[in-house]
Amino acid sequence: MENLPFYQPHGSEIELFERAWRNRLPLLIKGPTGCGKTRFVAHMAAKLGLPLHTVACHDDLTAADLVGRHLIVDGQTEWSDGPLTRAVREGGICYLDEVVEARKDTTVVLHPLADDRRILPIDRTGEQLAAPPSFMLVVSYNPGYQNFLKGMKPSTRQRFISLAFDFPPAEQEEAILIGETSIDAMSAKRLVSIANAFRALRDHDLEEVASTRLLVYAATLMKDGCDPTIACRAALVETLTDDPETAVALREVIDATFGR
Amino acid sequence: MEEYVGELWHKLVTRVADKQHADAAVSLNEISKTAAIYFRALGGDAGLNLSAAPPTRHGARRRWMQRLATSGERVELSWRDGETLRLPERIALFSERGLNRDLYLWLVALSAAKINDDLPWIIRNQTATLTTLERFPGLLPRYQQLVEAMLALRPAPADLPKEEAAQESAIRQALQQPGSIHVLPPSKKPFHPVPLWTHPTPPVSAPSKVSASDGAPERDESDNSNTAKSRRKHAAERTDMPDGKDGFLMLFRAESLFSWTEYIKVNRPQDEEDDLESAAQAAEDMDSMTVARDNETSAAKLRFDLDLPPAGEDDAPLDEGISLPEWDYKKQIMQPDYCRLQELVTQQAGHCELPTQLRRTAKRLRSQFQALAPTRTWLKGQQDGEEIDLDAWVRQEADLLSGTHPDNRGVYRAQVNQQRDLACLLLADLSLSTDAYASDHARVIDVIRDSLFLFSEALSATGDRFAMYGFSSLKRGNVRFNRLKSFDERYDSAARGRIAAIKPGYYTRMGAAIRHATTLLAAQPQRQRLLLLLTDGKPNDVDRYEGRYGIEDTRMALHEARQQGLRPFCVTIDSEANEYLPHLFGTGGFAVIKKPEDLPKELPLLYAQMTR
């Protein structure tokens, strides 16, 4: 248990994850980028002692990339398992990160796995894998920046129980920063206060707001001895905006917090 | 000659008297964008506009030179009301530019603090200062610097008569140790203005008191004349400056007998430049100006010049109208059946072909857009793919066996799949303002017409389902929704005829039009539904549908559209759109076309980018 990745719970999500796993229910996690979705899954996999197969989904991801394909080796064809098939065989957790990025027809291969059948038919080899009880399917996506033509098919969505993540309340986020970087409490408090000021600009001046991950970056720089103002500019301001005037305003917020 | 000398003299004394530092001045224009974002980041209301505060008379003691120059009797202070955050147009108080800029940012930070506006001025500002400093401790050194610089500019209590000295000392203490003063000692002469704080009695004051004049309460038109008058009087009273609430009384000032602090009628909804200008000029010399926003006066005035066309003259209503709700942000309620919308179809329109000057562009667009039409193909010889490309593999093996060097092409097949499952409704603003000239030879309406033509050409090439409507309004009872092409109609010469016949209408009640468009679009079976709004300005109508009311109603309508699973997107040619569109559509939800004449070309391309 020493190697458990750090995770600060902010609700009953750990309990819910365990229940879902025990009852063989697939799970969908949604939330803004950098709020701890991936970390949560890694934490749970370690806690439950399961192997974790992560797939970062992208535009060109095909069903074959998930399930597996024939490769040509020494003039012979050889079947090679994809990450999904491997997770099913091993009885581990298969985690599809940013699942909406994948094309919709790709995610349809998840359907028989994600309902009570829990099977993975592999057309190309004629195999039909039955998932062992310890197998769990977890997908995540960020509802914030959905491409207009993307989004999950309702038939896919309806196969999951869903957990909504958001940035944690101030005290918990401070605890996360302290837990991740062992930064002092005062600096953590100020970082979180900056982040919350930036979050007020969501959908208005900023397309994306400061994530917990970026705060951890800033805290890491500060812990390393970097000047707080410089650390925040590098980790927060310049990461969040390219617009010079917006950047000036964001820097003023940082100065207002850490002093100049 | 006399005049010339007088002018010189005036300039001279003004320069000596005004203790401003022109070289170090910071203007609101320079920092308005920064200030606006700063305000929102610090927790300010995102719906507020930023604007320059008109100078107001402070009535405090002036230096004799200032009196000689009749300057220094007005001061620009900041305040915030339901719609606007007002900041001084220019700050040149300190000799250091950095300090002047800091003062701006300090005022913004102070206004962002959520403080009960009903508190007495002195307590309100101290509380706001404390709250701000607590939340943003980094501001403390700058605040102290500002206070120090500020105190150096204020009259020393020792030089003032007793009462004023007590008042001045209290203000000084409140600045240095916010929270320590609870009551401002009374004095006959008003205190020296405090630029570090918000306005003691903002001309358009706290929401609690202003509701009658600013809130434009809903009233039936029958009970108008009396109430309008009394409200107007009330509004005029409100503009009289010190109301004695803050512990000082200034009852009488000789000048004010002859001064102009009265109601002046500036009828904003009207587009009469001359009137506005002359009124503005007259208003410049006043302390404050009240703009009545009561429905009745303006509407009555407008009934003159904008009468509806006789029924059945040009547009045939398709039914007796649809009732739509409207959002009142002040009351935070949805007013059911508040607007009546009529779907109309132009009768005069004939059939028509695409105008010749557009044909070449249209042809190019069609071929570009055909590439977007759905296809599903297998690509052979890929390095990576779902299936093995047996042909390629056999060829490669054969090459190897025969001793020729195999070309390293891939041996997999990959499927390229482009499925478009998409419906788009384009809603064009056909308000009166589209009658204006967009460039030397085209009116806005002509640009919109060309855009609609090319847009339809492009979309019919993709096979995406689309509909087009235009809208304008004349008060809530008459929202006109012109059908140009419905989803089920073909894009044919009749539809083109209707597009050719569009003409400027009345006003822009955006919320109602969006709500109806949402209903139409939400009924489409496609999974992706795009609500494209083409406009040239803010929502407005002749009744109270303007300013924040209109913006908030539109915002609510867009919110409803999103909840229905539609995606709203706005294309505008309004160069000031960056001020309000982010609030309505979000950062990625709109595009501003800088040169209106580019709109016809840009619009289809935007659509292609959005849906690729």
Side-chain angles (χ1 to χ4, degrees), chain B residues 151-451:
Chain B
L151 291 183
L153 295 178
R154 296 185 70 82
D159 302 345
L160 294 167
K162 203 175 149 223
E163 280 181 346
E164 288 171 55
Q167 205 173 46
E168 179 59 28
S169 310
I171 291 179
R172 280 168 173 260
Q173 194 189 330
L175 281 168
Q176 283 167 317
Q177 297 152 3
S180 61
I181 297 289
H182 303 293
V183 182
L184 188 66
S187 156
K188 284 199 193 88
K189 192 92 183 157
F191 48 84
H192 203 72
V194 189
L196 222 58
W197 285 349
T198 55
H199 202 295
T201 47
V204 187
S205 175
S208 57
K209 290 170 79 183
V210 85
S211 58
S213 60
D214 193 44
E218 201 182 321
R219 241 164 245 250
D220 282 334
E221 289 192 16
S222 50
D223 74 334
N224 55 12
S225 56
N226 271 334
T227 49
K229 253 187 195 153
S230 65
R231 238 180 300 157
R232 188 184 296 175
K233 205 160 145 201
H234 174 67
E237 273 171 12
R238 287 229 30 76
T239 60
D240 252 13
M241 246 231 334
D243 61 2
K245 187 170 114 186
D246 303 311
F248 67 92
L249 285 168
M250 197 200 66
L251 292 175
F252 182 76
R253 213 173 55 218
E255 309 122 62
S256 58
L257 269 182
F258 310 108
S259 88
W260 255 75
T261 318
E262 283 109 36
Y263 181 88
I264 177 166
K265 185 147 182 181
V266 182
N267 219 338
R268 283 211 277 162
Q270 269 190 302
D271 286 340
E272 286 173 18
E273 297 284 345
D274 299 347
D275 261 359
L276 271 181
E277 249 167 49
S278 56
Q281 239 162 30
E284 215 155 78
D285 275 346
M286 299 194 324
D287 285 355
S288 54
M289 179 172 63
T290 309
V291 179
R293 216 179 275 150
D294 33 18
N295 299 346
E296 295 82 357
T297 28
S298 48
K301 182 110 199 275
L302 272 150
R303 209 166 284 136
F304 277 137
D305 42 22
L306 260 185
D307 249 329
L308 276 176
E313 191 226 307
D314 56 352
D315 293 331
L318 294 178
D319 48 37
E320 66 254 45
I322 299 154
S323 292
L324 290 167
E326 189 165 291
W327 174 252
D328 184 336
Y329 84 98
K330 288 217 161 135
K331 296 191 195 136
Q332 292 282 312
I333 49 161
M334 192 60 95
Q335 309 165 83
D337 301 332
Y338 195 73
C339 299
R340 182 148 291 263
L341 177 141
Q342 293 236 312
E343 220 179 295
L344 308 160
V345 72
T346 314
Q347 277 189 329
Q348 291 165 341
H351 290 242
C352 129
E353 289 313 310
L354 194 64
T356 22
Q357 75 273 17
L358 293 177
R359 288 211 178 127
R360 269 186 54 194
T361 328
K363 198 173 161 206
R364 208 190 60 238
L365 279 173
R366 281 192 86 94
S367 62
Q368 279 173 352
F369 273 72
Q370 261 152 13
L372 288 175
T375 49
R376 191 186 176 95
T377 41
W378 283 98
L379 297 179
K380 289 186 159 191
Q382 299 295 302
Q383 295 292 345
D384 192 21
E386 292 99 322
E387 299 289 344
I388 289 171
D389 182 352
L390 275 178
D391 291 345
W393 187 39
V394 168
R395 193 163 51 243
Q396 192 173 318
E397 289 298 305
D399 284 352
L400 270 176
L401 288 175
S402 65
T404 42
H405 187 68
D407 54 345
N408 259 339
R409 288 176 53 193
V411 290
Y412 294 95
R413 291 197 297 155
Q415 199 177 41
V416 184
N417 188 6
Q418 280 190 321
Q419 264 187 321
R420 289 169 75 84
D421 186 13
L422 171 66
C424 172
L425 190 148
L426 187 141
L427 191 57
D429 173 357
L430 301 181
S431 60
L432 195 61
S433 52
T434 56
D435 207 14
Y437 274 83
S439 65
D440 290 342
H441 39 263
R443 290 177 305 164
V444 175
I445 191 86
D446 303 324
V447 174
I448 290 183
R449 187 179 299 119
D450 287 357
S451 310

Side-chain angles (χ1 to χ4, degrees), chain A residues 193-207:
Chain A
S193 135
I194 292 177
N196 284 326
F198 288 2
R199 283 169 197 164
L201 300 175
R202 184 175 350 204
D203 296 335
H204 204 297
D205 303 292
L206 292 177
E207 232 165 308

